[in-house]
């Protein structure tokens, strides 16, 4: 009886997760497929939600300084990325980070109220770099669609694989001090799933069989980044004493909860795309 209750407890959020994924997933895939403009519009909505959650977790408001500095800096930088001024966007993002760090620290000294100045300013880089990366990746008119689909497939496979294998197999904890629910079986299962789905996307996107092995390797690298992003977000929430970043997505919590792996993997994917060159898929 106790074993059956424990087993049911493991899967109690599966239905909500499945429904949320079924609603949100097709919309994201459609935006990727339709082109850079729909994808950029989706990113604008996602980034707005992410900065809102970040500032609120820091105990501040988005409509008043210093909290308002985070969305302002991120959106200005991402706007330049939309027009393919990626280097300038990154410079502006760095300036926004420094301005937020100095300005929030100065305001804290003036009014005497405690504020997590370092965490607040870090949100500019954490969300901004991911936003610029995702926009830039899709703006490659030749390889952008396949590269973003590959990245999304890897991140989703990592999340789903880690959840399923972790719940089925259990076992030793991966990082109990940071995230007690994560296990080594989930991490390894998620990594295997990223490699399999990465190879399948490569087989679908390009007609070269040898690409599948390369794709599995690149997927593994992005999968590790995805899991590190998940752990970082768990550490961030633990720092502020919350279980979820918000309640926007049933079964998943907030956008930071749902997109933590993508936020970490996207900059690495964008860096790979930069070195591969325009019009070249990540796994070539």
């Amino acid at each position: 009886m106790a074993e059956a209750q424990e087993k049911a407890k493991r899967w109690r959020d599966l239905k909500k997760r499945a429904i949320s994924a079924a609603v949100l997933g097709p919309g994201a895939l459609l935006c990727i497929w339709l082109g850079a403009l729909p994808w950029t519009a989706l990113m604008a909505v996602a980034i707005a939600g992410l900065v809102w959650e970040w500032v609120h977790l820091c105990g501040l408001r988005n409509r008043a300084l210093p909290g308002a500095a985070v969305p302002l800096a991120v959106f200005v930088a991402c706007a330049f990325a939309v027009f393919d001024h990626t280097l300038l966007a990154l410079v502006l993002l760095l300036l926004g980070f420094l301005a937020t760090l100095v300005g929030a620290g100065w305001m804290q000294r003036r009014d005497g109220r405690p504020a997590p100045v370092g965490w607040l300013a870090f949100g500019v880089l954490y969300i901004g770099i991911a936003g610029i990366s995702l926009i830039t990746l899709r703006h490659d008119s030749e390889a952008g669609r396949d590269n973003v689909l590959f990245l999304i497939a890897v991140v989703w496979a990592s999340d789903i694989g880690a959840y399923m294998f972790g719940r089925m197999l259990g076992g030793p904890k991966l990082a109990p001090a940071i995230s007690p629910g994560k296990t080594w079986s989930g991490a390894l299962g998620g990594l295997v799933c990223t490699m399999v789905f990465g190879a399948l996307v490569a087989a679908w996107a390009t007609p070269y069989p040898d690409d599948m092995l390369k794709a599995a390797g690149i997927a593994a690298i992005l999968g590790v980044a995805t899991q590190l992003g998940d752990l970082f977000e768990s550490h961030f929430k633990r720092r502020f004493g919350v279980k979820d970043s918000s309640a926007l997505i049933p079964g998943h919590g907030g956008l930071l909860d749902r997109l933590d792996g993508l936020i970490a993997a996207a900059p690495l994917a964008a860096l790979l795309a930069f070195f591969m060159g325009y019009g070249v898929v990540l796994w070539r």
Side-chain angles (χ1 to χ4, degrees):
M1 184 68 175
E3 184 179 347
Q5 289 178 340
E6 179 62 27
K7 190 173 182 180
K9 186 179 177 181
R10 287 184 187 179
W11 302 99
R12 64 185 176 184
D13 59 344
L14 180 59
K15 184 177 179 180
K16 284 185 178 181
R17 282 174 171 263
I19 293 173
S20 297
V23 171
L24 299 175
L29 293 175
L30 182 62
C31 288
I32 297 170
W33 192 268
L34 290 177
L37 185 59
W39 176 250
T40 300
L42 179 64
M43 288 300 97
V45 174
I47 291 168
L50 289 169
V51 295
W52 177 81
E53 289 182 352
W54 188 275
V55 173
H56 274 257
L57 285 173
C58 290
L60 298 167
R61 293 182 298 160
N62 284 268
R63 295 183 179 181
L65 291 172
V70 178
L72 179 62
V74 171
F75 273 102
V76 168
C78 288
F80 278 88
V82 170
F83 295 100
D84 297 323
H85 299 298
T86 307
L87 181 58
L88 181 57
L90 291 171
V91 171
L92 289 172
L93 198 67
L94 179 59
L95 292 175
F97 161 75
L98 294 173
T100 303
L101 187 65
V102 174
W106 177 77
M107 292 182 71
Q108 176 179 271
R109 287 193 297 272
R110 284 197 70 187
D111 60 24
R113 291 181 298 173
V117 175
W119 280 109
L120 181 70
F122 180 71
V124 174
L125 296 180
Y126 181 64
I127 298 171
I129 291 175
I132 291 171
S133 299
L134 289 165
I135 291 168
T136 303
L137 272 172
R138 186 60 187 89
H139 274 235
D140 183 335
S141 59
E142 295 181 23
R145 186 193 68 188
D146 292 343
N147 283 341
V148 176
L149 284 172
F150 179 79
L151 173 63
I152 294 294
V154 164
V155 172
W156 285 356
S158 177
D159 288 345
I160 295 169
Y163 177 85
M164 298 300 290
F165 279 89
R167 297 298 171 92
M168 286 190 297
L169 301 178
K173 302 299 182 181
L174 177 63
I178 299 174
S179 183
K182 292 180 175 58
T183 60
W184 278 102
S185 63
L188 294 174
L191 191 60
V192 170
C193 288
T194 63
M195 297 173 71
V196 171
F197 277 86
L200 290 175
V201 171
W204 168 80
T206 55
Y208 306 107
D210 62 318
D211 281 355
M212 293 180 67
L213 289 176
K214 297 177 185 176
I218 296 298
I221 295 171
L222 294 175
V224 170
T226 298
Q227 296 194 28
L228 289 175
D230 194 352
L231 287 173
F232 170 77
E233 208 255 341
S234 295
H235 169 69
F236 176 68
K237 289 188 297 185
R238 183 170 287 269
R239 162 65 177 78
F240 289 97
V242 297
K243 182 179 182 296
D244 297 318
S245 58
S246 75
L248 286 176
I249 308 174
H252 290 288
L255 285 173
L256 281 167
D257 299 308
R258 191 69 190 96
L259 302 179
D260 48 9
L262 183 62
I263 292 172
L268 182 56
L271 189 63
L272 285 170
F274 172 78
F275 284 113
M276 295 301 294
Y278 187 87
V280 181
V281 291
L282 295 174
W283 54 90
R284 292 306 304 273

